Amino acid sequence: MQYDAWFRDAETGTGRWELDEILYRSPTGGLLEVTHDLATLKQRSAAAWIRLWEGRYKRTQWPFSSGVWGKKELVLPNIPDEDIVSLDEGGTNLFWADRFGRELGLADLWVKQCGVSHTGSFKDLGMTVLVSQVNHMIKSGKHQIMGVACASTGDTSAALAAYCAAAGITSVVLLPRGKISPAQLIQPIANNALTLALDTDFDGCMRLVQQLTEDKKLYLANSMNSLRIEGQKTISYEIVQQFDWEVPDWIFIPGGNLGNVSALYKGFEELIELGIVNHVPNIVCCQAEAANPLYLAYKNNWRDFRPMIAKETQASAIRIGDPVSRSKAIKALMKWGGKVEQASEQELADATARADRTGLFNCPHTGVALAALIKFVERGEIKPKERVVVISTAHGLKFGNIKADYHMGKLPGIVPRYANLPVELPAERQAVYDAVMRHMDRT
């Protein structure tokens, strides 16, 4: 069966532009979205879709072993398999956070470990789609694309550089100098991207990359490009699949540029259209207090959204004061009654460390979502037996410097309530034994 997808105006649902066209906004200036031929897709039953996806999931048949490309018909059906650029993204661990859940009084708490991926973040899910489409356009000869460019707070640049390196496509990344972790900075450097560290913040980098890609010689890879959303929405598919095709009660997700929360909703809406599920979960978008324009608009009953200059935060990847995908996110949150919460620097630092003590190893952005979850539990908004999923967006190893600074008491203004420092001792049996006994007495 032949499936199809195209761009349309995300605000009005009108217009049609082919995915091979280089455009990121509609003629009226609104964001685009990828839409699929649902009438044709629905000719296959829900049970048949489930059988197809279960048969592919984490197998070895190219390209369907990928958690994204196993759902190719609903992601990017238009390109041949040989043009796909995949690093086996998706298929990530849905971690039953049993001990941490019990501490919070929750019997069914899970963490979707999206950072357990090739470049260590959920950005791989969207970048495989975008770079595959660019690879297809270059091979077809329709456009003379010299390379792909993005602005980034770290993780997007890492994903873009890796996928472009795999495809042999030039990548250009614009980063705010001194505002990303060393582990994130080395990733595009190692993958041979042209890495430009600029004296500005992410929003400044975003403005510049849009200007840089205006003449279409470089293709824009940021999440205002709706191709990225098609990969990121598969988080919804995968969570449902991992729960044997059941929808959780709650999902908590960090929010920065806000493409991810709109992608989450899009995934659930399409599953409803196909008859695979019948409702959307309660979704909570979680922001750092230092970069919280969506939270402020939510608290004002969506009457006014005001961009802001984001302040310093441990959660550097969501240090975004003027998110480009805000219109999509707000539209989806309003439609489905979604919620928004914020976390202070102290709250996110302590939530990260507290959860780490139960076997996790969280990035600070996941810490924002965990801190928001704690607030909801303390307010009694979540019932003890409800199923809750926290989206972990990146691997904690990318932020080892922040985690070390927390435990050593070096984070400005933060009191490390869950600090665990190494104990320095002489290499003597009795000294080691006494230290072990003292520790056992405390625990």
Side-chain angles (χ1 to χ4, degrees):
M1 194 172 293
Q2 185 63 45
Y3 300 109
D4 195 12
W6 57 91
F7 292 126
R8 70 178 181 186
D9 189 301
E11 292 295 322
T12 65
T14 60
R16 176 172 176 144
W17 301 272
E18 297 306 312
L19 300 185
D20 285 346
E21 296 185 53
I22 300 178
L23 74 166
Y24 317 110
R25 292 186 180 276
S26 73
T28 60
L31 291 176
L32 299 172
E33 65 181 0
V34 176
T35 189
H36 293 265
D37 181 1
L38 286 168
T40 303
L41 289 164
K42 286 193 283 189
Q43 291 178 27
R44 188 192 297 262
S45 70
W49 281 117
I50 289 172
R51 285 195 301 271
L52 177 67
W53 293 342
E54 289 283 11
R56 292 171 173 175
Y57 190 65
K58 302 189 83 168
R59 303 297 198 274
T60 56
Q61 182 187 2
W62 176 268
F64 304 122
S65 59
S66 157
V68 172
W69 295 108
K71 315 293 192 302
K72 184 190 176 190
E73 293 84 358
L74 276 104
V75 173
L76 202 62
N78 309 63
I79 69 172
D81 293 350
E82 57 267 25
D83 289 352
I84 290 173
V85 184
S86 174
L87 300 174
D88 198 30
E89 51 288 316
T92 53
N93 179 17
L94 186 60
F95 178 92
W96 183 31
D98 179 37
R99 183 181 168 195
F100 188 55
R102 282 188 279 113
E103 285 187 9
L104 299 181
L106 299 175
D108 209 6
L109 175 62
W110 301 76
V111 179
K112 179 60 172 166
Q113 299 277 31
C114 295
V116 184
S117 63
H118 185 75
T119 73
S121 90
F122 78 93
K123 303 288 187 178
D124 292 355
L125 300 172
M127 206 57 73
T128 182
V129 177
L130 184 141
V131 174
S132 294
Q133 178 64 27
V134 172
N135 190 46
H136 172 61
M137 289 193 290
I138 291 172
K139 284 186 174 182
S140 71
K142 185 174 181 179
H143 300 285
Q144 298 301 310
I145 299 171
M146 297 170 57
V148 189
C150 76
S152 178
T153 50
D155 290 334
T156 299
S157 65
L160 176 64
Y163 281 85
C164 282
I169 298 170
T170 299
S171 59
V172 179
V173 301
L174 281 63
L175 305 170
R177 186 165 67 89
K179 294 183 174 67
I180 68 171
S181 75
Q184 290 173 301
L185 177 61
I186 196 59
Q187 288 184 282
I189 290 172
N191 286 133
N192 200 36
L194 174 59
T195 305
L196 306 175
L198 308 181
D199 292 321
T200 184
D201 58 8
F202 170 80
D203 296 312
C205 291
M206 189 68 222
R207 287 190 291 272
L208 284 167
V209 80
Q210 289 180 73
Q211 296 168 19
L212 190 66
T213 54
E214 282 178 353
D215 64 5
K216 301 183 180 181
K217 293 178 181 178
L218 291 173
Y219 192 84
L220 180 65
N222 282 96
S223 59
M224 66 179 290
N225 186 322
S226 55
L227 289 169
R228 288 262 307 278
I229 302 303
E230 293 308 288
Q232 290 167 210
K233 76 182 183 186
T234 62
I235 296 174
S236 302
Y237 299 170
E238 197 161 288
I239 288 172
V240 172
Q241 184 171 7
Q242 288 173 308
F243 283 136
D244 295 324
W245 306 101
E246 293 184 356
V247 178
D249 297 297
W250 294 85
I251 297 180
F252 287 74
I253 185 167
N257 223 8
L258 304 180
N260 217 13
V261 67
S262 56
L264 204 63
Y265 277 113
K266 190 173 192 289
F268 280 109
E269 288 173 344
E270 289 173 350
L271 290 175
I272 290 172
E273 285 278 356
L274 294 178
I276 293 170
V277 303
N278 59 16
H279 69 284
V280 172
N282 296 300
I283 294 178
V284 183
C285 184
C286 312
Q287 294 206 294
E289 190 176 305
N292 63 349
L294 186 73
Y295 173 78
L296 296 176
Y298 170 74
K299 295 300 287 184
N300 197 28
N301 294 316
W302 301 120
R303 283 193 292 268
D304 189 22
F305 182 95
R306 295 185 181 182
M308 63 184 293
I309 297 175
K311 297 185 279 293
E312 289 282 346
T313 175
Q314 300 155 65
S316 57
I318 56 176
R319 183 186 176 181
I320 299 170
D322 190 11
V324 297
S325 296
R326 62 179 177 268
S327 60
K328 287 183 180 179
I330 291 172
K331 180 181 178 181
L333 287 161
M334 291 180 68
K335 177 180 178 180
W336 295 104
K339 303 177 187 297
V340 187
E341 187 53 87
Q342 67 174 358
S344 70
E345 295 301 295
Q346 183 71 56
E347 289 167 340
L348 75 89
D350 283 338
T352 302
R354 182 181 175 187
D356 283 354
R357 286 187 167 210
T358 67
L360 291 157
F361 194 71
N362 297 291
C363 69
H365 319 91
T366 306
V368 172
L370 292 169
L373 167 64
I374 291 169
K375 290 183 176 185
F376 270 67
V377 171
E378 290 177 345
R379 293 197 297 255
E381 295 186 51
I382 299 176
K383 297 182 178 68
K385 293 186 178 180
E386 287 186 311
R387 175 168 282 173
V388 181
V389 177
V390 173
I391 305 294
S392 178
T393 54
H395 202 294
L397 285 173
K398 286 193 170 192
F399 303 91
N401 58 323
I402 294 174
K403 298 174 86 67
D405 285 349
Y406 173 87
H407 287 281
M408 291 186 289
K410 293 183 178 180
L411 288 180
I414 301 300
V415 178
R417 298 188 177 96
Y418 299 93
N420 181 31
L421 292 170
V423 180
E424 297 181 356
L425 296 170
E428 298 173 358
R429 179 187 180 281
Q430 192 60 46
V432 172
Y433 180 83
D434 290 345
V436 171
M437 290 301 104
R438 286 193 298 271
H439 178 76
M440 293 301 179
D441 289 340
R442 288 194 300 268
T443 58

